[in-house]
Every structure is written in structure tokens, then in C-alpha cells.
Amino acid sequence: MSEENQEKHGEFEREPVPESKTRGLKAFVGMYAGEHCAGTELMIGPLFVAAGVSAFDVVFGLLIGNLLAVLSWMFLCAPIAVRARMTLYYQLEKICGTHLVTLYNLANGVMFCFLAGSMITVSATALGVWFHFPMPGLNDILPNSLGWVLAVLGVGALITLVAAWGYDMVSKVANIAAPWMVLVFLGFGIVGLRQFIEVTGAEVHSLSSLWVLCQEAIFKGGDPLPGQVKFTFWHVTFFAWFANMAMHVGMSDLSVLRFAKKSWHGVASASGMYVGHFMAWLAAAVLYSLQLHLDPANTDVLPGPLAYRAAGVAGLICVIVAGWTTANPTIYRAGLAFQAIMPKKSRFAVTIGTGMLATLAGMFPGIAMKLLGFVAIYGLILMPMGAVIFSDFWIFPKLGLTQYYAEHRSLKINWAAGIAWIGTVVICLALVKSGNPMFQIFFVALPGWFIATGLYILISKMMQKGSSV
Amino acid sequence: MKKIMEVISYLALVLIVGAPLLFYAEKIDLDMNKMLMTIATVVWFLSALCWIGREKVDV
């Protein structure tokens, strides 16, 4: 495809991005800040509180975990992105072969569907405030009322139709909503804090007295709510680090950062981490903690009512828009992944099918209520392919191994990459099953990265031994 | 016109965070905070539609 055509489609999907099309830091700062201020942030903050985090654990865990995430973008993903300047899928195709990429697309598409489902769940909780139907509780897995099912169906159908017909329009709404949404999230935190001061009668005149309020009332620590895993400093740190593991360690953002002028532009991810995954999580957590303080029996994590109590109709609009604008591109991306598997199906049909799957997932509140665990599994499943790309790019030349092996040998499947991927996931899940607290689902991806790297190098050495390329 | 809309949008954003700050400072009550945030939301979307996305994106 000529550069003119490429530019028209705006993608450079099967060739490196030319230097002339690279972008400055500013373009990425805005993109990351908007992308990581999503509807699901309104679930994650409260779930930390439900997990019994203490003030020190949540504040310093998030500061360090988000820093580790930014460093992963800067030093794992961005350096390869700006050198190869290829999409994740094209790079994977060259390493793994088309059949394995298809399998990866399937896994990616399914995970995106579940993620979009939880975003639809978040939006549907706003409808409950208006229509007063019974909404799911913290430990509900299955839909608990007809009203809930109809609300999710309505929101899901609307989001799906818009994703299929008017993606550009929603993109525009998302761009417009992003700065407003960030400030509404901040408003949630400020209002929640004031209400906490009122109900506890605390005197807050300085940072140290605010810290005392956080320790004694907002993030008291102690036992988690029934059915929840206890979160310590390490849980929060690793969760924040790996919440977007598929994107940084898993290299999904190669497709984004290939447009960056310099690899240090990966630092732009800090805007998303410290706005969305620090401020927004803490703000939502304050609202939920206030709810528990006022009524310890009310453990429901429902972003709609939480936001309404703090910001009225603006809060409800924020919940709907946050869920909608982030579910939309997620359904679209899942559709793209599925379409790669079924290229003869129209984009419209695939997006409708994907949206229906996401809507079905959204009806089951168990996914959103167990979002902490789901996010960890999501990262774990897609991470090994990032380790494969890392090894292929940096380690293979040093070991004298052939890079982009599937392309060189015209393979449909590079078994070294396939075994490293599936093998790592199986080993990690077995480690989780072992029950050793060191290998909880929130931590296991760290040893998993080394397992994937080791497996890929070892099997590639065996495969490439004696083969002339 | 575009410039005026831009100024109105930024004022709406100031109000979005200003209302909670006023509530924090006990200058307004919660109902007033909710109303101001909702007004600011409506003003932001209406005014921002007139200029965001119509400018050349900085790449």
C-alpha cells in the first residue's frame, strides 16, 4: 500500500510507521489520561475498600504500583515500539505465524468482551437509581432481577448499535467527555471527603490530620468483607502494576507507541496511571467507604447510587458516559480481533455479535464484582506473548537465534511461541491452584514472565538447532 | 464564536471542580453542589461540542 493510501486509512498496519508520521509527547499524554479514566475505575476503588485495605497500603501501594506500570511502558514496550514501529499483530505474525495470531486474537477478543461487559454493568447501575429495580449485591454472580436484566440489555443494545454504526461519533463524545470526566471523578473525592469529615466530626486542617482521618475512618484496614480476598500493600502494588499488563508487559501498546518519536514518550502513561488509577480509584473508594460508614450492612458496590449521592444527575451522567465511552472502543477492538478470525463476515455483523456477547457478560454481575481477579487473569493470559516479543527482539540476536522465525520459515505456527504461551498460562494457573499465598493470581504473572521467556528461548534453541534459515 | 464557546467550556470545567470545593469549604450545601455540577455538565457538553474535534489535532 502506498504511503498516501496508508495515510488515508491512518494505520500503517503492515509496514513500519515512517518517521514523518511520528507524534510528540503531548498526543500520548491526553490519550492515556482519557483511556484510563473509565467506568471500571468506579468499581476498582470500592473493591479495594471491600478487600480491607489500610490507608498506607492503598496510597503507597498505588504510588509504587503505578510507577512500576509506567516504567514497564517506558522500558519494556516503548523501546521495541519505536525501533520496530509495527503493530502488535504484525510483529506477532512475523514471530508466531498466522494461525497462532488467530488464536491470540480469539483470546484477546473474548477478554475484551468480558471487560466491555463489566463496563456495561457499571452503566446499568445508573439506571437503577432512576427505575428502582433490585440491583446486584457484592457477592452476586448471577443476575438477580428482571429489571437488572432489562437494564443491561437496554444499555448493551444501545452501546452495541452505536459501536456498529457510529463509532466515530462516540469517539468524538469520548474526546469531549474526557476532561470533564476526570474533574467529576475528582469532585467525587472532594465531596466524599467533606461528608466523611461531617459524619465523623473529625478536624482536618493539615495533611497530617487528613492522614489520620484516612487511617481511622476511610481506609481502616482489618478484615475484608465476606467473600473478598484480603488486600495488603503487596496486593495493591501488584494490582496497580499489572492492571494493564496486557498493554505494557504484554506489548499490546506497541500498536500505539509505534507512533512515538522517542521511547521515553512512554512516560505519557503516567497521566493515565496517576489520574485514572490513583486519583479516580481513591475518589471512588472514598464514596464507598462513606457508604459503609453510614450503613455497614450496605456492602453493594454500585457506581450509579454512589455517584448520585455525591454529584446528583452529573454523577449519573458520568457513570453512564464513563461506561459507554470505554465499552464502545472495547467492543470495537474485540470485533476487530474476531474479524481477523472471520474475515468474510462484515464489520457490522461482527460488532453486533461481539456486543451481544458483551451484553450477555454484563448481565452477570459476578464479572464486575470480581473485577480485581478478572483483571489479573486478563493480564496473565495475554502477558506471555509480550515475553515472546521481548525475547525475540532483544535476546535472540545475542544468542545467535533467528528473529521473526515464522516469517523466515513461512510457518503458520511457531510452536516455540505457542508452547511458551499456553505452557506459561497452565503453569501459572497450577501455581495459583497450589494455594501458596506467594502465588495468588495477583502475583503469579511476575514469575510467569520469566517462565514464558525461558520456555520460548529454550524451545526456540531446540527448534532452530541445525535448521538453516 | 468558537473562542467564546471555548471560554464558556473552560468556565464550566472550573465549576465542575469549583462546586465540590465550595461544598468542602462549607460555602454551599450538597443539593446546591449537585445542581451546580449538573448545570456545569450541561454547559460543558453543549459548548465543547462547538469546538472540540473541529480544531486540527496536534500530532
Side-chain angles (χ1 to χ4, degrees):
Chain A
M1 207 185 281
S2 70
E3 189 173 314
E4 198 178 316
N5 270 344
Q6 293 276 25
E7 192 182 347
K8 198 169 148 194
H9 292 90
E11 294 293 343
F12 298 101
E13 282 178 355
R14 300 191 71 81
E15 63 179 286
V17 173
E19 196 66 33
S20 61
K21 296 294 169 194
T22 55
R23 300 168 188 177
L25 180 68
K26 197 177 150 191
F28 298 98
V29 170
M31 189 214 76
Y32 275 108
E35 190 176 326
H36 295 284
C37 219
T40 41
E41 321 313 348
L42 291 165
M43 294 295 303
I44 292 171
L47 288 172
F48 280 159
V49 177
V53 284
S54 69
F56 177 87
D57 292 350
V58 74
V59 172
F60 287 92
L62 287 181
L63 282 174
I64 294 169
N66 283 321
L67 177 66
L68 290 169
V70 173
L71 294 175
S72 300
W73 260 296
M74 283 179 75
F75 296 113
L76 285 178
C77 185
I80 297 177
V82 299
R83 283 170 175 82
R85 297 209 179 278
M86 289 187 278
T87 64
L88 166 76
Y89 299 107
Y90 190 42
Q91 201 150 344
L92 271 184
E93 192 180 303
K94 284 151 90 64
I95 295 171
C96 304
T98 50
H99 286 184
L100 195 52
V101 171
T102 301
L103 195 61
Y104 177 84
N105 272 329
L106 185 66
N108 211 356
V110 170
M111 300 315 278
F112 273 139
C113 270
F114 286 128
L115 202 58
S118 64
M119 290 163 183
I120 294 170
T121 301
V122 169
S123 285
T125 63
L127 295 187
V129 176
W130 275 310
F131 297 106
H132 302 290
F133 50 80
M135 287 205 274
L138 180 60
N139 292 313
D140 281 343
I141 305 289
L142 303 172
N144 65 335
S145 71
L146 182 63
W148 171 253
V149 170
L150 292 176
V152 174
L153 196 62
V155 173
L158 202 64
I159 289 174
T160 301
L161 286 174
V162 173
W165 266 316
Y167 179 79
D168 290 342
M169 190 267 283
V170 182
S171 272
K172 196 180 170 194
V173 174
N175 283 338
I176 291 173
W180 162 83
M181 207 152 56
V182 168
L183 294 179
V184 175
F185 274 104
L186 181 61
F188 290 157
I190 297 169
V191 171
L193 204 54
R194 176 76 246 167
Q195 289 177 306
F196 245 118
I197 292 169
E198 279 172 14
V199 297
T200 56
E203 298 278 332
V204 176
H205 303 296
S206 62
L207 271 181
S208 60
S209 53
L210 175 63
W211 185 245
V212 171
L213 177 69
C214 287
Q215 286 177 310
E216 292 179 355
I218 303 176
F219 302 107
K220 287 187 286 191
D223 290 335
L225 294 178
Q228 304 300 303
V229 176
K230 166 71 183 172
F231 258 42
T232 63
F233 168 80
W234 294 110
H235 287 82
V236 178
T237 303
F238 272 77
F239 183 85
W241 183 10
F242 292 161
N244 290 113
M245 192 176 211
M247 293 180 182
H248 45 69
V249 177
M251 302 283 178
S252 186
D253 271 1
L254 286 179
S255 306
V256 173
L257 290 169
R258 72 200 163 115
F259 287 99
K261 279 195 195 303
K262 305 281 181 195
S263 72
W264 67 266
H265 288 175
V267 77
S269 56
S271 66
M273 294 302 96
Y274 288 101
V275 170
H277 292 189
F278 185 77
M279 181 275 286
W281 285 358
L282 288 181
V286 169
L287 292 184
Y288 181 67
S289 188
L290 178 70
Q291 173 187 301
L292 283 180
H293 186 88
L294 295 173
D295 180 7
N298 184 4
T299 60
D300 298 348
V301 178
L302 298 169
L306 284 174
Y308 184 68
R309 282 195 286 268
V313 177
L316 287 183
I317 296 173
C318 179
V319 171
I320 292 171
V321 170
W324 179 40
T325 54
T326 46
N328 194 72
T330 309
I331 287 173
Y332 183 79
R333 280 179 196 154
L336 282 181
F338 288 138
Q339 202 180 22
I341 302 163
M342 303 173 284
K344 286 184 181 164
K345 295 277 180 196
S346 73
R347 171 72 55 82
F348 181 85
V350 172
T351 308
I352 293 287
T354 308
M356 284 165 64
L357 197 58
T359 304
L360 185 67
M363 286 176 191
F364 292 84
I367 297 170
M369 300 302 165
K370 301 286 179 199
L371 197 60
L372 301 183
F374 170 73
V375 166
I377 290 173
Y378 170 55
L380 174 65
I381 289 176
L382 299 182
M383 169 276 293
M385 281 305 195
V388 164
I389 291 174
F390 180 88
S391 310
D392 202 86
F393 195 86
W394 294 113
I395 303 174
F396 272 32
K398 290 186 170 58
L399 296 178
L401 293 169
T402 305
Q403 291 176 287
Y404 302 129
Y405 193 64
E407 184 185 55
H408 275 84
R409 300 288 300 227
S410 302
L411 299 173
K412 296 286 185 196
I413 288 187
N414 176 353
W415 284 106
I419 293 170
W421 179 28
I422 305 296
T424 301
V425 174
V426 169
I427 292 169
C428 286
L429 291 178
L431 288 172
V432 173
K433 280 274 173 204
S434 74
N436 186 328
M438 272 179 64
F439 297 126
Q440 278 184 24
I441 188 70
F442 305 102
F443 308 131
V444 79
L446 183 61
W449 188 87
F450 291 97
I451 292 168
T453 303
L455 279 176
Y456 181 54
I457 293 171
L458 197 70
I459 301 166
S460 291
K461 267 199 159 190
M462 287 159 58
M463 275 177 59
Q464 293 188 23
K465 200 175 180 184
S467 70
S468 59
V469 182
Chain B
M1 186 64 180
K2 203 184 114 185
K3 204 72 195 168
I4 295 169
M5 286 300 172
E6 214 174 315
V7 172
I8 292 172
S9 300
Y10 286 124
L11 288 175
L13 286 188
V14 171
L15 186 57
I16 276 287
V17 79
L21 285 173
L22 287 172
F23 173 69
Y24 186 87
E26 296 182 280
K27 302 290 180 197
I28 59 174
D29 63 14
L30 187 60
D31 287 338
M32 178 61 81
N33 168 65
K34 288 177 180 178
M35 194 176 73
L36 290 177
M37 286 185 82
T38 303
I39 291 170
T41 295
V42 174
V43 172
W44 164 256
F45 277 99
L46 290 179
S47 56
L49 268 172
C50 299
W51 63 279
I52 290 186
R54 294 192 178 182
E55 61 198 357
K56 195 174 183 307
V57 180
D58 173 37
V59 287

